[in-house]
Amino acid sequence: MEVKTSLLDNMIGVGDMVLLEPLNEDSFIENLRKRFDHNEIYTYIGSVVISMNPYRSLPIFTPEKVEEYRNRNFYELSPHIYALADEAYRSLRDQDKDQCILITGESGAGKTEASKLVMSYVAAVCGKGQEVNKVKEQLLQSNPVLEAFGNAKTVRNDNSSRFGKYMDIEFDFKGDPLGGVISNYLLEKSRVCKQPRGERNFHIFYQLLSGASGDTLSKLYTQLVVTLHLTPVLITPAVSLYVLSQNAMQIVGFMEDEVQLVLELVAAVLKLGNIEFKPESRVNGFDESRVKDKNGETIAYYARDALAKNLYSRLFSWLVTRINESIKAKTRHKVMGVLDIYGFEIFEDNSFEQFIINYCNEKLQQIFIELTLREEQEEYVREGIEWTNIEYFNNAVICDLIENNQNGILAMLDEECLRPGTVTDDTFLDKLNTICAEHQHFESRLSKNSKFLTDHSLPHSCFRIQHYAGKVLYRVEGFVDKNNDLLYRDLSQAMYKATHSLMRQLFPEGNPAKVNLKRPPTAGFQFKASVGGLMKNLQTKNPNYIRCIKPNDKKAAHIFTDSLVCHQVRYLGLMENVRVRRAGYAFRQPYEPCLERYKMLCKQTWPHWRGPARDGVEVLLTDCSVPAEEFAYGRSKIFIRNPRTLFTLEERRRACLEDLATLIQKIYRGWKCRTHFLLLKKSQVVVAAWYRRYAQQNKYEKIKSATLVMQSFTRGWKVCLCIEYMPVSLQMQKYFLGLKTTVPSMSPIDNTWSAQPYSFLEGAHTELRRIFHLWRCKKHRGQFTEEKKAVYEEKLEASEIFKDKKALYPSSVSQPFKGDYLEIHKNPKYLKLNSAVEEKVLLADVVNKINRANGKGSPRLFLLTKSNFVLADQKTGQVKASVPLPDLTSVSVSTQSDGFFALKLKEVMEAGTAKGDFLLSSEHLIEIITKLHRTGTTASRRHVDFTLQCCCCFSSSSLGPICVCDVLATATVIIMFSQTDLGSG
């Protein structure tokens, strides 16, 4: 019997909410909690995927999982986002149906990660090849580029998309990706100049300041302190993020000069944040502002911020266009759209951006309701099943409140922006209070007809809309300016006159030859048009839904807040979605897998059914006595009305499987016992036969052995009478042949050797042992690499210098010589010091320098090259002393287990200036002295003179009043180096 897994097998809670019994809000939330606590973050509502953000990595997105869900039935395995992605991809590839995957939810619910998982799965399961892989890589790498420039950290999400993104991935007839087209919606450009408390600017600013080198930053003219709310505390991304963004831009298709141009404009936006103004008066009496300090006029700061926002917004749009040029397909056959757009937002202070974002989410909710009901109805009609209508909330009335061309909020905002006279945010609010006061989803305290006159939670300068996701309070301050989105014409002309090529492209209206006096469309008008186009695009495709939910507001793992999840379940309309699904039939399944799963319940279908699958299901349900009103036969599927019917079938299947398992175990145990008995019987016959043979052979061998012993004694007695001694040549031959079996192992530390058999071979025996040891040592040395040889040579030289002379030496034998203990080439802290040392650093360590005046120690960086040693400050990396090795006359250490050593220098240098000696202390004394010794020539190293001498006598004039004898307690070993020795390294 072939056993397949299913979402009904080993289910934690209920994998499909349609099967939940009883169905109410409490059981719905409890089922989500139970699955979330067991790391089951995905749950179905029919074909809709509910995704809970785990706020941690889970081992469910591996290549093995991709293969597990590849080409499998949607309900065949436990719920997963891969199942939905596979279903959409196979429908597109095999049935030529354009697909769209709609990912919705609050900010921080995991929409961006869900879109990445969908794209990575499709990239993994589609075709292979050099060109296809290049296209896939470009599509995937477009994400980090857009995230760097369009995402930011908010109070609810560390990687919040501050723009809407819709990507159409285009495929050929085989299902291989050809390219794509990205559409972006409403970048939150106000974040460039101002962010709410606890939030950050766009990622690219921090990546640039944290990851770019000093030279790069200098070239980009960002030497000044940045004031666009980029405090040092927040500039913490790893350098690798900057590198990843640059690599992604190159993979997508950006040239090096284009990347440089983009970074220069990012730096220009940062530079704008440093501009300050001061007021001045002209001779003719007019006022003006000059760049100086914080007391400039307000209009100058407004122009500065407007330019910064427009510059960044246009740069982002140019990036999207440039990416589209790289990833666009030459031909188009099939399309899969992935929508990753900002989630519904309810902040403490909601402005024009939140109003536009929530309007877009209202439209998405509307299309979700329409397409869900339409798809449900189409399936029943397609299968020939009667459809039963169900009541649900339709948010079209909210969409109409916002987008109505006559008296919608956006239309009134545009009217205020375009009409002559004094226009303020308050006049806009007055118009809303007049026209929208009676609307059931609009609330305002200032309206004369308002029932909220005594509602003190509703400020005078705000209005409130009752969205499908809850009530949101909007502050009208800034609505008019943000909707106008105007930039002074002289600023556009100034940008067009810039020598920067990309800057000129971003401000084409600044061209004096193409002056256009027509007022540009408002931001609200543009967004409404783009959202309308998006809705039309989505309606032409087969929809697939991922509804993202965040379990808590703390962005923490293992926390499930019931009230927060309940709020999201309500405004996402998930309960209504379940009821719509269950209005007709709760469960449907194709005939083939249904028969395969339940065939053991009927004798006629078990173990195999020879005929059409539908006939087999009819026989099965009739035999199981399922009431006729509980199911219906479609053209390709069986429809089950009540979940209890399905659970009854599951329970009977589970009991039947237990009976089958018992039967299989009984038959298997009988077969196993019978097989074991037959094996024992056969083995007994074989053993008996072999034993009888063995007994006879043993008896024969004993008789033969006794005979041979008697014969040998007789022959030996006769031979001894003729030969008194064995010849010497035979003894030597026996000795050398015996060495083949007694020779020790090839390990150089194996001191075993066979005993000497004959006294006359004593010399040869000893010499052979010596030769064999030298030979295996040579073999052992031949396995060493050049690096290991150098290490062992240093260790050997350390042994020659310090063995039996320095008490510290035995403890250092097992410690490898590392050389660069500071990792000076990798640590950015020592880049300045590394550049100051031109030669290769042989050793870099922290030592203690003993002060001549008071005997106190101070930490210093000790660097040794082939021709110099350098002492530098540990904190700043500033070079304190750089001494050529030819000026070092001797090195002095004690015989004890301390780390002190003294460096004796020439008293008069070439320039005629005297330098004092150094008394230092280090934990790596043995390695430092050894490397100093190795800097000499081989010839001079053979004549190193070791003498005992008091350190005070060594250089009392240079070390001052310090008694080194008191420090070291005993005499020292002096390692003398000649000037030619130290200078030739």
Side-chain angles (χ1 to χ4, degrees):
M1 179 180 65
E2 182 183 4
V3 179
K4 291 185 178 180
T5 57
S6 168
L7 68 86
L8 296 172
D9 290 327
N10 303 320
M11 187 166 52
I12 296 172
V14 178
D16 191 341
M17 290 293 189
V18 176
L19 305 178
L20 187 62
E21 284 289 335
L23 177 61
N24 54 59
E25 193 173 79
D26 292 338
S27 63
F28 193 100
I29 302 300
E30 181 58 30
N31 189 53
L32 288 178
R33 170 191 281 278
K34 184 185 297 184
R35 293 180 61 78
F36 178 79
D37 290 341
H38 289 82
N39 298 328
E40 294 287 343
I41 63 173
Y42 296 116
T43 308
Y44 290 155
I45 300 179
S47 60
V48 177
V49 176
I50 303 175
S51 172
M52 300 285 291
N53 192 343
Y55 291 113
R56 61 193 177 100
S57 299
L58 294 176
I60 59 174
F61 306 111
T62 60
E64 292 75 19
K65 276 289 182 182
V66 171
E67 291 302 318
E68 182 179 344
Y69 281 85
R70 186 173 187 174
N71 294 326
R72 301 293 288 268
N73 184 278
F74 186 77
Y75 297 105
E76 191 172 341
L77 300 175
S78 58
H80 201 291
I81 197 172
Y82 285 168
L84 180 136
D86 185 76
E87 184 79 8
Y89 175 71
R90 286 192 292 117
S91 296
L92 175 134
R93 182 192 62 189
D94 302 335
Q95 302 176 22
D96 290 334
K97 291 182 179 179
D98 286 352
Q99 304 289 317
C100 64
I101 298 178
L102 306 181
I103 308 172
T104 58
E106 266 193 40
S107 178
K111 300 184 298 299
T112 300
E113 288 302 316
S115 68
K116 291 180 184 177
L117 290 172
V118 170
M119 292 181 63
S120 63
Y121 180 86
V122 173
V125 300
C126 63
K128 303 293 186 292
Q130 183 176 356
E131 189 63 30
V132 173
N133 290 339
K134 178 182 177 182
V135 172
K136 290 193 292 187
E137 190 65 18
Q138 286 184 330
L139 292 174
L140 293 175
Q141 290 301 321
S142 65
N143 272 327
V145 176
L146 295 179
E147 285 184 13
F149 287 86
N151 286 25
K153 178 183 178 181
T154 66
V155 293
R156 297 187 177 184
N157 190 355
D158 290 342
N159 188 34
S160 177
S161 299
R162 306 318 300 162
F163 71 105
K165 184 183 75 172
Y166 176 75
M167 173 183 281
D168 267 333
I169 308 175
E170 300 174 347
F171 297 83
D172 62 10
F173 67 96
K174 298 178 296 183
D176 294 341
L178 298 173
V181 178
I182 299 174
S183 301
N184 66 299
Y185 303 96
L186 189 67
L187 177 72
E188 188 189 24
K189 58 185 178 184
S190 62
R191 183 171 292 268
V192 173
C193 298
K194 182 180 179 181
Q195 306 91 43
R197 187 178 2 175
E199 298 191 0
R200 301 203 323 175
N201 213 322
F202 294 103
H203 293 329
I204 186 62
F205 295 120
Y206 306 94
Q207 293 179 9
L208 178 64
L209 294 177
S210 177
S213 64
D215 294 339
T216 302
L217 289 175
S218 297
K219 293 178 181 178
L220 297 177
Y221 310 103
T222 57
Q223 306 95 313
L224 300 179
V225 178
V226 177
T227 61
L228 289 180
H229 298 271
L230 300 178
T231 61
V233 177
L234 295 178
I235 305 177
T236 55
V239 177
S240 59
L241 293 178
Y242 172 77
V243 177
L244 288 175
S245 298
Q246 306 309 301
N247 292 340
M249 292 180 73
Q250 293 178 1
I251 292 174
V252 171
F254 284 80
M255 301 300 180
E256 290 186 8
D257 58 334
E258 290 179 318
V259 175
Q260 181 69 16
L261 291 174
V262 170
L263 294 181
E264 287 173 357
L265 288 190
V266 174
V269 175
L270 293 175
K271 188 80 171 188
L272 281 172
N274 295 313
I275 297 178
E276 298 174 351
F277 304 94
K278 73 172 183 177
E280 287 191 1
S281 297
R282 294 183 179 179
V283 178
N284 57 11
F286 289 99
D287 293 331
E288 67 176 2
S289 294
R290 292 186 179 274
V291 177
K292 180 62 178 179
D293 54 32
K294 296 182 179 179
N295 299 320
E297 296 188 9
T298 304
I299 190 171
Y301 286 102
Y302 176 84
R304 179 198 65 180
D305 292 348
L307 178 59
K309 292 185 291 185
N310 269 273
L311 178 57
Y312 192 81
S313 176
R314 297 183 187 204
L315 174 62
F316 186 79
S317 299
W318 180 87
L319 280 171
V320 175
T321 303
R322 179 63 183 83
I323 292 174
N324 285 335
E325 291 176 359
S326 296
I327 66 176
K328 66 180 179 181
K330 297 180 181 178
T331 58
R332 171 176 174 173
H333 297 277
K334 311 171 186 179
V335 176
M336 176 184 290
V338 179
L339 179 65
D340 173 20
I341 204 161
Y342 16 61
F344 196 89
E345 294 185 348
I346 307 177
F347 294 147
E348 188 176 323
D349 187 9
N350 302 286
S351 186
F352 179 75
E353 291 82 6
Q354 282 69 45
F355 176 76
I356 290 296
I357 288 172
N358 294 343
Y359 161 61
C360 180
N361 278 271
E362 287 284 358
K363 295 295 290 183
L364 289 175
Q365 177 69 4
Q366 185 180 27
I367 198 173
F368 171 76
I369 293 173
E370 291 178 357
L371 294 182
T372 301
L373 293 177
R374 188 185 70 184
E375 177 63 25
E376 191 78 13
Q377 184 173 358
E378 286 180 355
E379 182 173 20
Y380 283 118
V381 173
R382 187 168 56 248
E383 295 289 333
I385 305 296
E386 184 179 354
W387 164 251
T388 302
N389 290 321
I390 186 172
E391 294 296 328
Y392 62 92
F393 172 70
N394 192 338
N395 69 331
V397 61
I398 304 176
C399 295
D400 184 70
L401 169 65
I402 299 173
E403 67 180 4
N404 187 282
N405 292 328
Q406 299 299 324
N407 54 4
I409 295 178
L410 285 176
M412 285 185 281
L413 181 59
D414 284 351
E415 183 179 334
E416 280 297 293
C417 292
L418 298 176
R419 75 173 176 84
T422 302
V423 176
T424 65
D425 296 319
D426 292 333
T427 62
F428 165 61
L429 183 59
D430 290 339
K431 179 167 289 189
L432 292 184
N433 293 332
T434 302
I435 299 177
C436 302
E438 300 297 329
H439 198 284
Q440 57 181 336
H441 292 276
F442 179 85
E443 301 172 1
S444 173
R445 189 176 179 187
L446 296 180
S447 173
K448 295 180 180 179
N449 299 326
S450 177
K451 57 184 177 181
F452 301 99
L453 291 175
T454 59
D455 184 0
H456 297 288
S457 66
L458 189 58
H460 289 279
S461 60
C462 299
F463 66 92
R464 190 158 54 201
I465 294 180
Q466 186 174 352
H467 290 280
Y468 78 95
K471 294 183 178 181
V472 184
L473 182 70
Y474 297 104
R475 190 176 302 278
V476 296
E477 181 182 353
F479 263 61
V480 173
D481 284 341
K482 292 175 181 178
N483 189 51
N484 270 324
D485 194 24
L486 296 177
L487 186 66
Y488 296 125
R489 185 176 295 115
D490 54 350
L491 287 178
S492 298
Q493 293 174 351
M495 296 302 102
Y496 184 80
K497 293 177 182 179
T499 57
H500 196 277
S501 59
L502 182 54
M503 182 84 77
R504 291 171 60 88
Q505 295 182 42
L506 299 182
F507 293 89
E509 74 277 9
N511 187 351
K514 299 180 179 179
V515 176
N516 186 3
L517 299 179
K518 184 178 179 181
R519 186 184 182 95
T522 62
F525 178 84
Q526 295 179 60
F527 187 74
K528 177 183 174 183
S530 60
V531 169
L534 174 64
M535 297 302 118
K536 291 180 181 179
N537 190 354
L538 296 178
Q539 289 174 342
T540 62
K541 297 177 173 62
N542 183 55
N544 303 271
Y545 300 99
I546 302 174
R547 309 290 261 174
C548 297
I549 295 178
K550 61 178 182 179
N552 60 79
D553 272 330
K554 299 179 180 179
K555 298 182 283 189
H558 307 293
I559 298 178
F560 188 97
T561 306
D562 288 10
S563 58
L564 178 64
V565 174
C566 182
H567 173 69
Q568 295 173 82
V569 167
R570 286 175 181 172
Y571 78 68
L572 287 174
L574 300 184
M575 290 293 296
E576 288 83 355
N577 194 188
V578 177
R579 293 190 181 102
V580 166
R581 185 76 176 183
R582 292 174 59 157
Y585 294 88
F587 184 76
R588 73 282 320 265
Q589 191 175 32
Y591 290 118
E592 289 80 3
C594 179
L595 181 61
E596 181 68 25
R597 184 167 184 83
Y598 301 110
K599 62 182 180 179
M600 70 286 299
L601 302 181
C602 175
K603 293 182 179 179
Q604 301 178 54
T605 57
W606 176 259
H608 299 292
W609 171 257
R610 311 294 184 185
R614 172 170 177 165
D615 296 344
V617 172
E618 291 181 1
V619 171
L620 174 65
L621 295 180
T622 302
D623 188 73
C624 292
S625 301
V626 179
E629 64 273 10
E630 285 297 319
F631 62 88
Y633 297 109
R635 293 185 175 90
S636 63
K637 297 178 181 179
I638 178 69
F639 289 76
I640 297 177
R641 183 179 298 279
N642 199 307
R644 284 190 292 270
T645 303
L646 181 67
F647 293 146
T648 301
L649 292 175
E650 281 293 311
E651 189 62 33
R652 295 180 62 178
R653 177 180 181 271
R654 191 175 297 110
C656 188
L657 287 178
E658 291 178 359
D659 295 339
L660 289 173
T662 303
L663 177 62
I664 293 172
Q665 288 176 349
K666 180 180 71 173
I667 296 174
Y668 171 74
R669 287 171 182 155
W671 170 84
K672 186 177 181 180
C673 290
R674 175 67 178 171
T675 303
H676 184 62
F677 167 75
L678 294 176
L679 180 60
L680 289 178
K681 181 178 179 181
K682 181 179 179 181
S683 300
Q684 187 274 333
V685 174
V686 174
V687 170
W690 277 93
Y691 176 76
R692 285 193 291 269
R693 177 185 177 187
Y694 164 77
Q696 293 299 322
Q697 286 181 339
N698 195 29
K699 182 178 180 182
Y700 168 77
E701 291 294 335
K702 288 182 178 180
I703 296 174
K704 182 179 179 181
S705 177
T707 304
L708 291 176
V709 170
M710 294 176 62
Q711 289 178 348
S712 62
F713 272 102
T714 303
R715 295 189 183 110
W717 174 72
K718 292 180 179 180
V719 170
C720 287
L721 294 177
C722 302
I723 303 175
E724 184 175 358
Y725 297 105
M726 183 186 298
V728 174
S729 60
L730 292 179
Q731 293 179 356
M732 293 179 65
Q733 181 182 10
K734 180 179 179 183
Y735 166 73
F736 284 117
L737 291 175
L739 282 178
K740 292 199 305 183
T741 58
T742 61
V743 69
S745 67
M746 292 296 292
S747 173
I749 62 174
D750 187 356
N751 294 324
T752 60
W753 190 254
S754 61
Q756 178 181 319
Y758 307 108
S759 59
F760 72 92
L761 291 175
E762 179 179 359
H765 191 71
T766 302
E767 185 64 17
L768 283 174
R769 180 177 184 178
R770 186 185 69 82
I771 294 172
F772 176 79
H773 179 68
L774 293 177
W775 174 76
R776 67 182 178 183
C777 286
K778 181 177 181 298
K779 286 285 187 181
H780 188 69
R781 288 196 304 273
Q783 300 174 3
F784 293 164
T785 61
E786 292 300 326
E787 290 79 9
K788 279 192 175 182
K789 287 181 180 179
V791 172
Y792 290 140
E793 285 176 3
E794 285 190 348
K795 282 289 184 179
L796 182 61
E797 194 157 345
S799 173
E800 295 173 356
I801 297 172
F802 293 103
K803 187 176 182 182
D804 299 329
K805 299 175 184 177
K806 178 72 174 173
L808 180 66
Y809 173 71
S811 63
S812 70
V813 173
S814 60
Q815 299 176 359
F817 288 172
K818 184 176 178 181
D820 187 4
Y821 291 92
L822 304 179
E823 297 184 345
I824 189 169
H825 296 289
K826 299 179 182 178
N827 196 329
K829 179 180 177 182
Y830 303 121
L831 288 178
K832 179 179 178 181
L833 180 59
N834 189 26
S835 61
V837 180
E838 297 180 356
E839 297 179 301
K840 178 182 178 182
V841 176
L842 303 178
L843 185 139
D845 193 13
V846 177
V847 301
N848 252 345
K849 179 180 178 295
I850 308 301
N851 194 291
R852 305 178 187 180
N854 53 21
K856 293 184 179 179
S858 56
R860 290 287 186 267
L861 302 181
F862 182 89
L863 274 66
L864 176 64
T865 67
K866 288 188 177 181
S867 59
N868 296 274
F869 75 86
V870 177
L871 290 176
D873 187 83
Q874 184 185 14
K875 293 183 178 179
T876 64
Q878 181 179 0
V879 176
K880 295 293 186 180
S882 178
V883 180
L885 290 183
D887 294 334
L888 178 63
T889 59
S890 64
V891 179
S892 175
V893 298
S894 76
T895 60
Q896 303 304 307
S897 59
D898 58 87
F900 289 96
F901 64 100
L903 302 179
K904 172 69 175 178
L905 307 181
K906 288 181 179 180
E907 293 185 359
V908 181
M909 308 298 289
E910 293 179 4
T913 59
K915 284 192 175 180
D917 301 337
F918 295 95
L919 178 60
L920 308 172
S921 173
S922 172
E923 294 180 357
H924 306 102
L925 169 70
I926 302 300
E927 182 177 358
I928 292 177
I929 302 303
T930 302
K931 290 188 181 293
L932 278 170
H933 182 226
R934 286 180 61 84
T935 55
T937 61
T938 304
S940 59
R941 268 185 259 156
R942 296 198 187 105
H943 298 88
V944 174
D945 184 19
F946 294 88
T947 60
L948 295 176
Q949 181 179 346
C950 176
C951 284
C952 292
C953 301
F954 166 71
S955 181
S956 59
S957 61
S958 60
L959 293 179
I962 301 173
C963 181
V964 184
C965 292
D966 294 340
V967 180
L968 305 182
T970 60
T972 59
V973 179
I974 307 300
I975 306 174
M976 307 296 295
F977 302 91
S978 66
Q979 180 174 348
T980 57
D981 180 8
L982 292 171
S984 60

